[in-house]
Amino acid sequence: MVRRAEATKLSAEMKAFAARLGHEFQRPELLIRALTHASAGSITRPHNQRLEFLGDRVLGLVISEALFSADKKASEGVLAPRYNALVRKETCADIARQMDLGAVLRLGRSEMLSGGRRKNALLGDAMEAVLAAVYLDGGLDAVRSLILHHWKQRIDGVDQDARDAKTALQEWAQAQGNPPPDYVEIERSGPPHAPVFTIEARVTDGRSARASAGSKRMAEQAAAKALLARVETGS
């Protein structure tokens, strides 16, 4: 029993992460597993994919419950995009970055060399796995409290986050009798494993806006959002 306790003792870095997270683990092996990517897993070191599966569902339940309770008159058609904005991988990755999850993520050599600590997919998956670890360690009330704390700002501003800027910009263009906006890749920078895309959104009256992000989809959405703000204010 002493050997098992020593084997599952958290490092100082993981203890600091647990403090940032806001949960004291009674079963530290759950957190260790949640922070172990498949590239670092082995027969004796289980990785986080199963926990990610569970954490995705736990997050979905808590966010669904929060949205359902917060707006008792909202239809399913209103709630669905709000939900999607709060549980999508990019959101989970952003929350992970806020608590510096990447610093304690266990990665294999290949993922470490390819910038895995900064990848949206790895961070988002690990965040979901951590939520599952909290759920298994402390129950639904514990993980609900944690999610509502770390997601609070996004829940409060979800209407803005849920708006699909590309769809809204296209609808604006159609209302003016114009063709859909164009999205042009202006630049691709950074290393191959962590590219940064700069996209310019353009409408036929000559107005445009640029944005950069780690994926084309995110850059297009950001450029559309910036251009939408311009056309709606007449600037």
Side-chain angles (χ1 to χ4, degrees):
M1 293 298 293
V2 173
R3 291 180 181 177
R4 176 174 173 79
E6 292 176 348
T8 58
K9 185 178 180 180
L10 294 178
S11 66
E13 292 79 9
M14 285 197 179
K15 285 182 180 179
F17 171 76
R20 295 193 297 272
L21 179 67
H23 182 77
E24 184 176 352
F25 282 86
Q26 301 303 309
R27 298 168 59 193
E29 67 272 13
L30 287 170
L31 179 59
I32 294 171
R33 180 174 179 178
L35 294 172
T36 302
H37 183 257
S39 63
S42 67
I43 295 176
T44 58
R45 179 189 282 181
H47 56 72
N48 64 10
Q49 286 183 340
R50 279 175 53 83
L51 286 177
E52 177 217 333
F53 170 83
L54 177 60
D56 176 66
R57 277 70 184 172
V58 170
L59 175 62
L61 172 61
V62 173
I63 293 298
S64 296
E65 180 185 64
L67 293 174
F68 187 83
S69 299
D71 190 344
K72 301 187 186 314
K73 296 182 179 180
S75 67
E76 186 275 340
V78 172
L79 292 174
R82 294 176 181 175
Y83 171 86
N84 291 335
L86 292 169
V87 302
R88 62 192 175 198
K89 196 70 68 179
E90 292 89 351
T91 300
C92 292
D94 284 345
I95 299 292
R97 289 189 182 93
Q98 289 175 11
M99 60 184 74
D100 200 16
L101 184 152
V104 291
L105 190 57
R106 290 183 166 188
L107 300 172
R109 179 175 174 79
S110 60
E111 281 292 353
M112 194 177 300
L113 292 175
S114 67
R117 298 187 190 281
R118 300 186 301 274
K119 292 180 181 178
N120 273 345
L122 271 64
L123 290 173
D125 289 349
M127 188 70 249
E128 291 172 345
V130 167
L131 295 179
V134 173
Y135 170 73
L136 293 174
D137 189 69
L140 184 57
D141 286 344
V143 75
R144 180 190 289 114
S145 176
L146 186 149
I147 290 170
L148 294 180
H149 171 72
H150 288 289
W151 267 256
K152 182 181 186 306
Q153 185 175 355
R154 293 176 181 275
I155 292 173
D156 291 344
V158 70
D159 280 336
Q160 182 176 355
D161 289 341
R163 189 179 188 190
D164 186 317
K166 288 184 68 176
T167 299
L169 184 61
Q170 181 168 325
E171 290 173 350
W172 176 89
Q174 290 174 339
Q176 308 303 309
N178 296 329
D182 290 322
Y183 295 91
V184 181
E185 183 179 320
I186 301 299
E187 183 184 16
R188 182 184 301 190
S189 59
H193 64 267
V196 175
F197 299 90
T198 299
I199 301 291
E200 184 172 87
R202 303 169 179 171
V203 289
T204 54
D205 66 5
R207 284 180 286 185
S208 64
R210 294 185 182 184
S212 299
S215 73
K216 282 188 177 182
R217 187 184 73 81
M218 292 173 65
E220 287 177 354
Q221 284 286 348
K225 184 176 181 179
L227 183 51
L228 187 63
R230 290 193 60 189
V231 300
E232 288 186 336
T233 58
S235 60

